[in-house]
Amino acid sequence: MNNQLQQQRLVRAGRIHSDHFFAVAVYAAAVVVATVFAWIVLDLLTHGVAKLSWEFISELPRNSGRKGGISSILVSTGLILLVTLVAAVPLAFAAAIWLSEFTRKGGKLAAYVRLSLDVLAGVPSIVFGLFGSAFFCVFLGLGYSIVAGGLTLACMVLPILIRTTEAGLSAVSEGWRQGAAALGLSKFATLWQILLPAAAPSIAAGLMLGIGRAMAETAALIFTSGYVDRMPESIFDSGRALAVHIFDLSMNIPGGDQAAYGSALALILAIGLINAMALKLSDTLLAKRIVA
């Protein structure tokens, strides 16, 4: 009896030590991630905050970007992102809804689609750039243009948006669907009023990941949207994205480091602002669902 009690105590002690070790490992990982992020932001603030000003935001670049501002770069980046979202979000929502609501669980077709999406999510961006250059720029005749770059980025972010939206929809309890059917709600009303608001956090997370990848992309846009730093006249004009501008200033333009730091800081601030807007939208949808 004593041996059995002692053995139980040892087992409990081992579990407690394992829990403590796991907690320490999780906190250590969080501290490492936060430290690396703080280090990057501090470095950008140290070197770029002096460059960041209203003149830097509102003026056109001069002397290959060494002087002047980034107004045309910001406009090109915004247009590229707009084309990306307009092309990717409706298709991503439709595909995610189809995978979650209209396919048989364990079906082979849905499994093949999910596998294809996972493979596409791991494809290097340079491959998407070459595909975009061959298909959008040459085959469709769009040339080096904002729309070609945006469509290429849409292909890149589609797997992320589809899988995160599908995960959010699949996480909604089946009882909610059955309750909606019992109340006589149509499939569309169930999706619009119940399932999509419930999946809002996952949708917001997918949007943040997709937007972050799109705005920070360089390789794919070099082959599709081009290097031109003038103010674009339309989405069919060539335009330089902010990430490409940072790359060019830091790698190809002697004396462009200060402007590169300022541009990088502007990129971080833009991504943070867009992420905050996505979170606000998610909270708004959740609030409407709770009130309803």
Side-chain angles (χ1 to χ4, degrees):
M1 187 67 178
N2 292 332
N3 291 336
Q4 187 176 2
L5 290 174
Q6 185 177 5
Q7 186 176 4
Q8 290 177 355
R9 292 193 189 97
L10 290 175
V11 170
R12 284 197 296 269
R15 290 175 179 173
I16 292 173
H17 289 309
S18 298
D19 290 343
H20 288 168
F21 175 78
F22 181 74
V24 170
V26 169
Y27 279 108
V31 169
V32 169
V33 172
T35 301
V36 172
F37 176 74
W39 181 23
I40 294 173
V41 173
L42 182 61
D43 182 64
L44 290 177
L45 287 173
T46 302
H47 295 89
V49 71
K51 186 70 175 178
L52 199 61
S53 63
W54 175 247
E55 288 74 18
F56 183 70
I57 299 296
S58 60
E59 292 182 359
L60 292 172
R62 303 192 307 273
N63 193 16
S64 300
R66 297 183 185 91
K67 297 181 180 179
I70 55 172
S71 61
S72 61
I73 310 300
L74 291 176
V75 171
S76 296
T77 304
L79 290 175
I80 291 171
L81 184 61
L82 180 63
V83 172
T84 300
L85 294 179
V86 169
V89 170
L91 184 58
F93 277 22
I97 291 171
W98 176 76
L99 287 171
S100 175
E101 306 300 320
F102 295 95
T103 58
R104 181 172 56 87
K105 291 186 177 180
K108 290 184 177 180
L109 178 59
Y112 290 149
V113 172
R114 292 187 181 97
L115 178 61
S116 301
L117 292 172
D118 294 339
V119 171
L120 283 175
V123 172
S125 59
I126 189 69
V127 177
F128 281 102
L130 294 174
F131 164 76
S133 177
F135 184 71
F136 296 118
C137 297
V138 178
F139 183 75
L140 296 184
L142 297 175
Y144 287 100
S145 62
I146 288 172
V147 66
L151 293 175
T152 302
L153 292 185
C155 296
M156 291 181 59
V157 303
L158 265 177
I160 299 173
L161 294 177
I162 294 174
R163 292 296 271 154
T164 52
T165 304
E166 182 203 356
L169 292 172
S170 299
V172 179
S173 173
E174 190 64 28
W176 290 26
R177 295 175 175 84
Q178 295 173 358
L183 292 173
L185 292 179
S186 65
K187 196 76 172 179
F188 175 80
T190 302
L191 281 168
W192 184 253
Q193 298 179 14
I194 298 176
L195 299 183
L196 287 176
S202 296
I203 295 173
L207 285 173
M208 287 188 290
L209 291 173
I211 290 172
R213 183 175 185 185
M215 291 192 68
E217 185 52 49
T218 303
L221 294 179
I222 290 176
F223 294 100
T224 52
S225 63
Y227 263 96
V228 177
D229 61 359
R230 66 174 181 270
M231 184 67 73
E233 297 178 358
S234 71
I235 60 173
F236 297 99
D237 196 8
S238 179
R240 178 186 292 194
L242 196 52
V244 176
H245 187 61
I246 296 168
F247 168 78
D248 195 45
L249 287 172
S250 58
M251 300 298 294
N252 301 326
I253 306 298
D257 291 344
Q258 191 67 28
Y261 272 108
S263 302
L265 186 57
L267 177 61
I268 293 295
L269 293 175
I271 292 176
L273 178 61
I274 293 174
N275 287 349
M277 293 171 59
L279 289 175
K280 180 64 176 178
L281 177 62
S282 173
D283 293 340
T284 301
L285 291 176
L286 282 175
K288 289 182 179 179
R289 179 172 66 87
I290 292 173
V291 171

